[in-house]
């Protein structure tokens, strides 16, 4: 006679087992396959899970009960944690693509949800002492900027911090790190020329961000950010000011190439200019300036 799985688990005496339950306190400790098994097991075997049920889940997964509960809660109500944020940061610094990170930590229902939670994450910890506010002089700021230019590598502030602590021994590490983050976070704006260059490189090399970053003399992360902005612009409806429309109409009248029109307008890609040109011509409004 076949005995249901849950009844078999109820008969199991963990005290007689020579194998200790695994400790997986953070979702980053879980393998993707284990998370998938955990979710399917709970869904198939239980309705509303009780405390006793979690004991059985722990036995089945050979993982401590509280860790099973934590991991399943994260899968049911996905949220970004400090530990997960740090793990993703390390993967991004190693140029891992978002689809691979999503497969490694499949707690969010889609890649976009994981990415948005990562970028919007802020850790609030009231137990930490408040940092003393430092008024940085212009000279001190220039010195930090020099150190950033010399020692900073995208995603790695460690060497800058070491050198800055030597230069400012009387200022706390937290205050120095905050100043470094402020300086390194000022990324130049993305222009239509940036988007056109990255588009051509993506068509040539695929999404090889390390190579594309080298080609445009920038970081892999910013190369990907430029491409992401391009894709978002394609999806979003384009709004045009009267000045932009008049510039485009003059370009159409003068026979200017759309790449040059994009450069003259400054805020629209070549594809956006071309699409708008076709719309203006189809409605007979290309001369209304």
């Amino acid at each position: 006679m076949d005995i249901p799985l849950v009844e078999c688990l109820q008969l199991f005496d963990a005290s007689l087992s020579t194998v200790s339950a695994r400790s997986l306190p953070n979702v980053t400790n879980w393998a993707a396959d284990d998370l998938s098994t955990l979710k399917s097991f709970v869904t198939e075997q239980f309705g509303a899970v009780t405390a006793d049920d979690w004991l059985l889940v722990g036995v089945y997964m050979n993982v401590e009960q509280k860790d099973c509960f934590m991991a399943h809660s994260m899968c049911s109500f996905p949220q970004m944690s400090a530990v997960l944020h740090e793990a993703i940061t390390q993967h991004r610094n190693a140029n891992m693509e978002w689809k691979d990170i999503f497969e490694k930590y499949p707690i969010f229902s889609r890649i976009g949800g994981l990415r948005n939670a990562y970028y919007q994450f802020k850790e609030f910890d009231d137990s930490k002492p408040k940092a003393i506010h430092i008024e940085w002089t212009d000279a001190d700021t220039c010195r930090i900027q020099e150190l950033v230019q010399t020692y900073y590598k995208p995603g790695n502030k460690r060497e800058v911090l070491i050198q800055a602590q030597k230069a400012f021994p009387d200022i706390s590490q937290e205050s120095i790190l905050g100043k470094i983050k402020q300086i390194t976070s000022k990324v130049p704006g993305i222009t239509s020329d940036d988007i056109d260059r990255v588009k051509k490189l993506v068509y040539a090399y695929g999404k090889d961000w390390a190579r594309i970053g080298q080609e445009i003399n920038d970081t892999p992360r910013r190369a990907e950010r430029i491409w992401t902005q391009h894709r978002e612009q394609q999806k979003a409806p384009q709004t045009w000011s009267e000045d932009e429309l008049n510039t485009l109409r003059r370009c159409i009248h003068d026979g200017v190439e759309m790449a040059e029109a994009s450069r003259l307008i400054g805020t629209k890609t070549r594809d956006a200019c071309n699409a708008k040109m076709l719309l203006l011509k189809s409605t007979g409004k290309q001369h209304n300036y």
Side-chain angles (χ1 to χ4, degrees):
M1 180 180 65
D2 292 335
I3 302 177
L5 176 57
V6 171
E7 291 184 22
C8 290
L9 294 172
Q10 289 171 337
L11 296 172
F12 179 78
D13 187 350
S15 64
L16 300 178
S17 175
T18 58
V19 180
S20 299
R22 294 176 294 168
S23 176
L24 305 175
N26 299 307
V27 71
T28 53
N29 301 134
W30 287 72
D33 288 345
D34 284 344
L35 282 174
S36 178
T37 300
L38 172 68
K39 289 188 288 185
S40 61
F41 175 71
V42 172
T43 301
E44 293 168 5
Q45 300 297 331
F46 304 103
V49 190
T50 66
D52 290 339
D53 293 335
W54 283 115
L55 286 172
L56 301 181
V57 174
V59 171
Y60 180 76
M61 297 298 303
N62 190 33
V63 176
E64 291 185 8
Q65 172 192 353
K66 66 180 187 301
D67 297 342
C68 291
F69 176 79
M70 175 280 302
H72 191 268
S73 297
M74 282 286 287
C75 293
S76 301
F77 306 99
Q79 58 182 334
M80 185 60 57
S81 66
V83 173
L84 180 57
H85 189 273
E86 177 61 25
I88 293 175
T89 298
Q90 292 177 10
H91 292 313
R92 295 294 296 143
N93 290 341
N95 298 324
M96 182 181 285
E97 294 193 2
W98 278 109
K99 65 180 182 63
D100 297 322
I101 296 175
F102 176 70
E103 291 174 359
K104 188 174 181 64
Y105 306 119
I107 62 173
F108 287 81
S109 59
R110 52 192 180 83
I111 296 177
L114 173 64
R115 186 168 52 222
N116 290 340
Y118 173 79
Y119 285 123
Q120 294 171 7
F121 174 78
K122 291 183 180 179
E123 183 180 6
F124 296 99
D125 187 353
D126 293 335
S127 66
K128 292 182 178 179
K130 303 297 182 182
I132 299 175
H133 179 67
I134 300 294
E135 290 290 345
W136 292 86
T137 65
D138 290 343
D140 290 344
T141 299
C142 287
R143 179 57 181 149
I144 293 286
Q145 289 173 333
E146 290 173 357
L147 294 173
V148 167
Q149 292 172 359
T150 304
Y151 297 103
Y152 176 67
K153 295 179 181 179
N156 187 352
K157 304 179 182 70
R158 178 177 176 77
E159 188 58 33
V160 184
L161 179 60
I162 292 173
Q163 298 301 326
Q165 285 181 297
K166 292 178 181 178
F168 302 97
D170 297 329
I171 299 179
S172 70
Q173 175 179 315
E174 188 174 358
S175 296
I176 293 173
L177 185 58
K179 189 64 175 178
I180 292 171
K181 287 181 177 179
Q182 180 188 48
I183 293 172
T184 56
S185 66
K186 294 179 180 179
V187 180
I190 296 173
T191 66
S192 58
D193 286 342
D194 292 333
I195 292 175
D196 285 339
R197 289 170 65 199
V198 169
K199 275 173 55 183
K200 292 176 182 177
L201 292 169
V202 168
Y203 295 146
Y205 306 125
K207 296 180 181 179
D208 186 345
W209 303 123
R211 182 170 184 175
I212 293 173
Q214 289 180 342
E215 292 284 342
I216 65 173
N217 194 30
D218 213 322
T219 64
R221 183 173 295 185
R222 187 160 187 270
E224 183 182 5
R225 188 178 299 153
I226 293 170
W227 175 254
T228 300
Q229 178 165 314
H230 161 62
R231 299 296 294 171
E232 290 174 350
Q233 286 178 348
Q234 284 186 318
K235 296 175 184 178
Q238 292 280 331
T239 57
W240 289 68
S241 68
E242 280 303 314
D243 287 342
E244 291 169 341
L245 283 172
N246 289 335
T247 300
L248 180 62
R249 287 173 177 133
R250 284 192 290 271
C251 290
I252 295 171
H253 179 269
D254 297 337
V256 174
E257 293 287 337
M258 286 301 100
E260 178 64 12
S262 172
R263 189 188 69 77
L264 290 172
I265 294 170
T267 56
K268 297 292 185 286
T269 65
R270 181 177 59 183
D271 289 346
C273 291
N274 191 57
K276 196 66 174 179
M277 176 195 70
L278 294 174
L279 177 63
L280 291 174
K281 286 185 174 181
S282 68
T283 55
K285 296 180 179 179
Q286 69 269 32
H287 302 304
N288 298 352
Y289 61 91

